[in-house]
Amino acid sequence: MATHAGYNRWCYNWGLSLWNAAYIDGYKPNARKLREVFTNHTKPMNPWMKSLSSKVYQYAFIHLGEAFKRFFQGLGKRPRFKKKGKHDSFTIENQWKAHRIKWVESQITFHRLGQNL
């Protein structure tokens, strides 16, 4: 799970740096464009990402887009880079048809994480 949290942090920080650079250059970035650039260019160059859930990076960009939306509406501060060990988290969704997360009595099995808790 720590690997997925680190992956989330890496993607969020990558997206934030790209967003800031694009905004300074006069572009209007959004979460969808970040996800397309990441999927087509950055992810293929990093083979270690293939063993991790793709939902993690998708939600990292969604959360970054929501943070900027709140900032531009005046409801929050400008998004900042995430630090290791400080509120580490990640988001995945439960897809019951694919049985990615199984609940059996007191055990939880995560399909892509390969863990039983």
PDB file of all heavy atoms in Angstrom, residues 8-18 80-83:
ATOM      1  N   ASN A   8       0.894   7.635  -6.011  1.00  0.00           N
ATOM      2  CA  ASN A   8      -0.062   8.737  -6.007  1.00  0.00           C
ATOM      3  C   ASN A   8       0.654  10.077  -5.798  1.00  0.00           C
ATOM      4  O   ASN A   8       0.395  11.044  -6.520  1.00  0.00           O
ATOM      5  CB  ASN A   8      -1.103   8.522  -4.905  1.00  0.00           C
ATOM      6  CG  ASN A   8      -2.107   9.647  -4.840  1.00  0.00           C
ATOM      7  OD1 ASN A   8      -2.844   9.902  -5.773  1.00  0.00           O
ATOM      8  ND2 ASN A   8      -2.123  10.342  -3.715  1.00  0.00           N
ATOM      9  N   ARG A   9       1.557  10.107  -4.855  1.00  0.00           N
ATOM     10  CA  ARG A   9       2.307  11.334  -4.562  1.00  0.00           C
ATOM     11  C   ARG A   9       3.166  11.735  -5.762  1.00  0.00           C
ATOM     12  O   ARG A   9       3.208  12.901  -6.147  1.00  0.00           O
ATOM     13  CB  ARG A   9       3.181  11.127  -3.318  1.00  0.00           C
ATOM     14  CG  ARG A   9       3.976  12.340  -2.899  1.00  0.00           C
ATOM     15  CD  ARG A   9       4.804  12.092  -1.638  1.00  0.00           C
ATOM     16  NE  ARG A   9       5.709  10.961  -1.794  1.00  0.00           N
ATOM     17  CZ  ARG A   9       5.548   9.767  -1.232  1.00  0.00           C
ATOM     18  NH1 ARG A   9       4.523   9.523  -0.456  1.00  0.00           N
ATOM     19  NH2 ARG A   9       6.421   8.804  -1.425  1.00  0.00           N
ATOM     20  N   TRP A  10       3.837  10.765  -6.368  1.00  0.00           N
ATOM     21  CA  TRP A  10       4.692  11.032  -7.526  1.00  0.00           C
ATOM     22  C   TRP A  10       3.867  11.618  -8.672  1.00  0.00           C
ATOM     23  O   TRP A  10       4.261  12.605  -9.290  1.00  0.00           O
ATOM     24  CB  TRP A  10       5.373   9.740  -7.967  1.00  0.00           C
ATOM     25  CG  TRP A  10       6.462   9.932  -8.970  1.00  0.00           C
ATOM     26  CD1 TRP A  10       7.792  10.079  -8.722  1.00  0.00           C
ATOM     27  CD2 TRP A  10       6.314  10.009 -10.404  1.00  0.00           C
ATOM     28  NE1 TRP A  10       8.473  10.242  -9.907  1.00  0.00           N
ATOM     29  CE2 TRP A  10       7.593  10.205 -10.950  1.00  0.00           C
ATOM     30  CE3 TRP A  10       5.229   9.930 -11.253  1.00  0.00           C
ATOM     31  CZ2 TRP A  10       7.812  10.318 -12.322  1.00  0.00           C
ATOM     32  CZ3 TRP A  10       5.440  10.047 -12.625  1.00  0.00           C
ATOM     33  CH2 TRP A  10       6.717  10.236 -13.140  1.00  0.00           C
ATOM     34  N   CYS A  11       2.713  11.007  -8.958  1.00  0.00           N
ATOM     35  CA  CYS A  11       1.855  11.484 -10.052  1.00  0.00           C
ATOM     36  C   CYS A  11       1.288  12.864  -9.755  1.00  0.00           C
ATOM     37  O   CYS A  11       1.246  13.729 -10.630  1.00  0.00           O
ATOM     38  CB  CYS A  11       0.715  10.497 -10.290  1.00  0.00           C
ATOM     39  SG  CYS A  11       1.263   8.913 -10.938  1.00  0.00           S
ATOM     40  N   TYR A  12       0.849  13.078  -8.530  1.00  0.00           N
ATOM     41  CA  TYR A  12       0.300  14.385  -8.140  1.00  0.00           C
ATOM     42  C   TYR A  12       1.363  15.472  -8.290  1.00  0.00           C
ATOM     43  O   TYR A  12       1.102  16.525  -8.870  1.00  0.00           O
ATOM     44  CB  TYR A  12      -0.199  14.316  -6.692  1.00  0.00           C
ATOM     45  CG  TYR A  12      -0.910  15.566  -6.220  1.00  0.00           C
ATOM     46  CD1 TYR A  12      -2.288  15.686  -6.337  1.00  0.00           C
ATOM     47  CD2 TYR A  12      -0.210  16.614  -5.635  1.00  0.00           C
ATOM     48  CE1 TYR A  12      -2.944  16.819  -5.896  1.00  0.00           C
ATOM     49  CE2 TYR A  12      -0.859  17.753  -5.195  1.00  0.00           C
ATOM     50  CZ  TYR A  12      -2.228  17.846  -5.323  1.00  0.00           C
ATOM     51  OH  TYR A  12      -2.875  18.970  -4.890  1.00  0.00           O
ATOM     52  N   ASN A  13       2.559  15.207  -7.785  1.00  0.00           N
ATOM     53  CA  ASN A  13       3.641  16.191  -7.887  1.00  0.00           C
ATOM     54  C   ASN A  13       4.077  16.414  -9.336  1.00  0.00           C
ATOM     55  O   ASN A  13       4.358  17.546  -9.733  1.00  0.00           O
ATOM     56  CB  ASN A  13       4.837  15.769  -7.029  1.00  0.00           C
ATOM     57  CG  ASN A  13       4.543  15.884  -5.553  1.00  0.00           C
ATOM     58  OD1 ASN A  13       3.622  16.578  -5.134  1.00  0.00           O
ATOM     59  ND2 ASN A  13       5.326  15.192  -4.748  1.00  0.00           N
ATOM     60  N   TRP A  14       4.115  15.351 -10.130  1.00  0.00           N
ATOM     61  CA  TRP A  14       4.446  15.478 -11.550  1.00  0.00           C
ATOM     62  C   TRP A  14       3.408  16.349 -12.236  1.00  0.00           C
ATOM     63  O   TRP A  14       3.740  17.262 -13.001  1.00  0.00           O
ATOM     64  CB  TRP A  14       4.503  14.092 -12.193  1.00  0.00           C
ATOM     65  CG  TRP A  14       4.761  14.116 -13.664  1.00  0.00           C
ATOM     66  CD1 TRP A  14       5.973  14.114 -14.291  1.00  0.00           C
ATOM     67  CD2 TRP A  14       3.775  14.150 -14.707  1.00  0.00           C
ATOM     68  NE1 TRP A  14       5.791  14.144 -15.657  1.00  0.00           N
ATOM     69  CE2 TRP A  14       4.452  14.172 -15.936  1.00  0.00           C
ATOM     70  CE3 TRP A  14       2.383  14.164 -14.710  1.00  0.00           C
ATOM     71  CZ2 TRP A  14       3.794  14.203 -17.158  1.00  0.00           C
ATOM     72  CZ3 TRP A  14       1.726  14.200 -15.924  1.00  0.00           C
ATOM     73  CH2 TRP A  14       2.434  14.218 -17.130  1.00  0.00           C
ATOM     74  N   GLY A  15       2.129  16.067 -11.963  1.00  0.00           N
ATOM     75  CA  GLY A  15       1.049  16.843 -12.552  1.00  0.00           C
ATOM     76  C   GLY A  15       1.070  18.302 -12.118  1.00  0.00           C
ATOM     77  O   GLY A  15       0.842  19.209 -12.916  1.00  0.00           O
ATOM     78  N   LEU A  16       1.372  18.531 -10.847  1.00  0.00           N
ATOM     79  CA  LEU A  16       1.439  19.898 -10.328  1.00  0.00           C
ATOM     80  C   LEU A  16       2.560  20.690 -10.993  1.00  0.00           C
ATOM     81  O   LEU A  16       2.370  21.843 -11.380  1.00  0.00           O
ATOM     82  CB  LEU A  16       1.622  19.883  -8.808  1.00  0.00           C
ATOM     83  CG  LEU A  16       1.699  21.230  -8.108  1.00  0.00           C
ATOM     84  CD1 LEU A  16       0.477  22.088  -8.394  1.00  0.00           C
ATOM     85  CD2 LEU A  16       1.869  21.014  -6.604  1.00  0.00           C
ATOM     86  N   SER A  17       3.722  20.078 -11.161  1.00  0.00           N
ATOM     87  CA  SER A  17       4.831  20.788 -11.804  1.00  0.00           C
ATOM     88  C   SER A  17       4.518  21.078 -13.273  1.00  0.00           C
ATOM     89  O   SER A  17       4.809  22.170 -13.770  1.00  0.00           O
ATOM     90  CB  SER A  17       6.138  20.001 -11.678  1.00  0.00           C
ATOM     91  OG  SER A  17       6.075  18.805 -12.408  1.00  0.00           O
ATOM     92  N   LEU A  18       3.902  20.122 -13.966  1.00  0.00           N
ATOM     93  CA  LEU A  18       3.527  20.340 -15.362  1.00  0.00           C
ATOM     94  C   LEU A  18       2.430  21.402 -15.469  1.00  0.00           C
ATOM     95  O   LEU A  18       2.468  22.257 -16.349  1.00  0.00           O
ATOM     96  CB  LEU A  18       3.064  19.025 -15.990  1.00  0.00           C
ATOM     97  CG  LEU A  18       2.894  19.025 -17.500  1.00  0.00           C
ATOM     98  CD1 LEU A  18       4.240  19.280 -18.187  1.00  0.00           C
ATOM     99  CD2 LEU A  18       2.316  17.706 -17.962  1.00  0.00           C
ATOM    100  N   ARG A  80      -0.132  22.574  -3.312  1.00  0.00           N
ATOM    101  CA  ARG A  80       1.298  22.461  -3.026  1.00  0.00           C
ATOM    102  C   ARG A  80       1.749  21.028  -3.254  1.00  0.00           C
ATOM    103  O   ARG A  80       0.948  20.106  -3.288  1.00  0.00           O
ATOM    104  CB  ARG A  80       1.577  22.868  -1.580  1.00  0.00           C
ATOM    105  CG  ARG A  80       1.285  24.336  -1.326  1.00  0.00           C
ATOM    106  CD  ARG A  80       1.607  24.712   0.085  1.00  0.00           C
ATOM    107  NE  ARG A  80       0.618  24.090   0.968  1.00  0.00           N
ATOM    108  CZ  ARG A  80       0.543  24.319   2.264  1.00  0.00           C
ATOM    109  NH1 ARG A  80       1.388  25.126   2.842  1.00  0.00           N
ATOM    110  NH2 ARG A  80      -0.374  23.744   2.996  1.00  0.00           N
ATOM    111  N   PHE A  81       3.049  20.856  -3.360  1.00  0.00           N
ATOM    112  CA  PHE A  81       3.614  19.529  -3.567  1.00  0.00           C
ATOM    113  C   PHE A  81       3.423  18.682  -2.310  1.00  0.00           C
ATOM    114  O   PHE A  81       3.512  19.177  -1.196  1.00  0.00           O
ATOM    115  CB  PHE A  81       5.101  19.630  -3.916  1.00  0.00           C
ATOM    116  CG  PHE A  81       5.340  20.217  -5.273  1.00  0.00           C
ATOM    117  CD1 PHE A  81       5.643  21.561  -5.421  1.00  0.00           C
ATOM    118  CD2 PHE A  81       5.247  19.429  -6.408  1.00  0.00           C
ATOM    119  CE1 PHE A  81       5.851  22.106  -6.681  1.00  0.00           C
ATOM    120  CE2 PHE A  81       5.457  19.958  -7.670  1.00  0.00           C
ATOM    121  CZ  PHE A  81       5.753  21.307  -7.804  1.00  0.00           C
ATOM    122  N   LYS A  82       3.171  17.388  -2.521  1.00  0.00           N
ATOM    123  CA  LYS A  82       2.997  16.449  -1.420  1.00  0.00           C
ATOM    124  C   LYS A  82       4.356  15.968  -0.946  1.00  0.00           C
ATOM    125  O   LYS A  82       5.288  15.832  -1.733  1.00  0.00           O
ATOM    126  CB  LYS A  82       2.152  15.260  -1.869  1.00  0.00           C
ATOM    127  CG  LYS A  82       0.729  15.642  -2.175  1.00  0.00           C
ATOM    128  CD  LYS A  82      -0.090  14.413  -2.480  1.00  0.00           C
ATOM    129  CE  LYS A  82      -1.538  14.805  -2.688  1.00  0.00           C
ATOM    130  NZ  LYS A  82      -2.420  13.648  -2.614  1.00  0.00           N
ATOM    131  N   LYS A  83       4.441  15.692   0.351  1.00  0.00           N
ATOM    132  CA  LYS A  83       5.679  15.209   0.949  1.00  0.00           C
ATOM    133  C   LYS A  83       5.493  13.778   1.439  1.00  0.00           C
ATOM    134  O   LYS A  83       4.415  13.402   1.903  1.00  0.00           O
ATOM    135  CB  LYS A  83       6.085  16.089   2.123  1.00  0.00           C
ATOM    136  CG  LYS A  83       6.392  17.508   1.715  1.00  0.00           C
ATOM    137  CD  LYS A  83       6.747  18.346   2.910  1.00  0.00           C
ATOM    138  CE  LYS A  83       6.972  19.783   2.480  1.00  0.00           C
ATOM    139  NZ  LYS A  83       7.222  20.646   3.621  1.00  0.00           N
TER     140      LYS A  83
END
